[in-house]
Amino acid sequence: MSALTWAVAAVVTDGAGRVLLCRQGRGERRYALPGGRLRRPESPVPAVLRDIRAETGWEIEIVDLVGLYHVADPAAGPTPAGRAGPLPDVLVHVFRARAVGARAAGEPVGGCRLSWHDPADLPTALTPTTRLALADALAGRSGVLARCATPTGPAPGQRSGQPADRRAEGGHSGTGAPARH
């Protein structure tokens, strides 16, 4: 098993029900949910509040946890001792959140271009994790446990952006979930 990186992200909606996405600044320039990595010994809730504020400039109110998304390369076998291995597995805590206020409270850090999107007209160039988490959040699901292929490619026999293993999905929308995230 490769190293595990802990990360956070949020499906942030505004008063009009639009979703905030970050277009990545390098490579394929796909859209992703705003977020980042946890710092030691930080827990997911303070981390997502900090990362969303830093990356987007927006203050957010957390509504609930959409789910945990394990991003891994299913084709990567164990790394031989003493050798550099595959990219680390990432466990992403994805939250459902609302933007606080009518505009960003501060200036975002560089690295991505932010844009608001109507849930019925989302960009097609989404990262696999973003695609799954948005579908779950927009369907009102909470407590999702999903496994996603790494951006390098899907598992054999698996369509890109589809979970390799979706063991449990909560069917409730949580308390106070806003309409159509």
Side-chain angles (χ1 to χ4, degrees):
M1 176 180 228
S2 65
L4 181 64
T5 299
W6 295 76
V8 291
V11 176
V12 179
T13 57
D14 66 3
R18 299 177 302 167
V19 177
L20 182 61
L21 295 175
C22 170
R23 187 151 195 189
Q24 298 171 334
R26 57 189 180 284
E28 298 177 34
R29 299 190 187 275
R30 293 184 289 177
Y31 288 88
L33 297 172
R37 292 184 181 172
L38 270 75
R39 296 178 182 164
R40 295 186 192 265
E42 193 174 37
S43 67
V45 171
V48 77
L49 294 170
R50 175 188 50 76
D51 280 333
I52 299 300
R53 173 73 155 92
E55 187 172 42
T56 70
W58 285 90
E59 296 289 341
I60 61 168
E61 171 186 311
I62 295 174
V63 175
D64 68 355
L65 178 69
V66 175
L68 299 175
Y69 296 82
H70 180 206
V71 182
D73 182 354
T79 304
R83 304 198 90 172
L87 293 174
D89 287 1
V90 180
L91 184 62
V92 186
H93 295 74
V94 178
F95 293 90
R96 183 177 289 114
R98 293 185 192 106
V100 175
R103 63 180 53 128
E107 290 297 316
V109 296
C112 76
R113 290 179 284 160
L114 299 169
S115 53
W116 291 96
H117 299 269
D118 185 295
D121 191 27
L122 293 170
T124 56
L126 298 170
T127 66
T129 305
T130 298
R131 184 174 310 285
L132 288 173
L134 277 171
D136 290 333
L138 294 171
R141 290 189 280 271
S142 297
V144 174
L145 299 175
R147 184 173 170 96
C148 309
T150 61
T152 58
Q158 173 187 349
R159 291 183 301 143
S160 180
Q162 297 299 311
D165 176 25
R166 191 169 248 171
R167 287 174 286 210
E169 292 184 8
H172 63 291
S173 62
T175 57
R180 302 294 304 164
H181 295 49

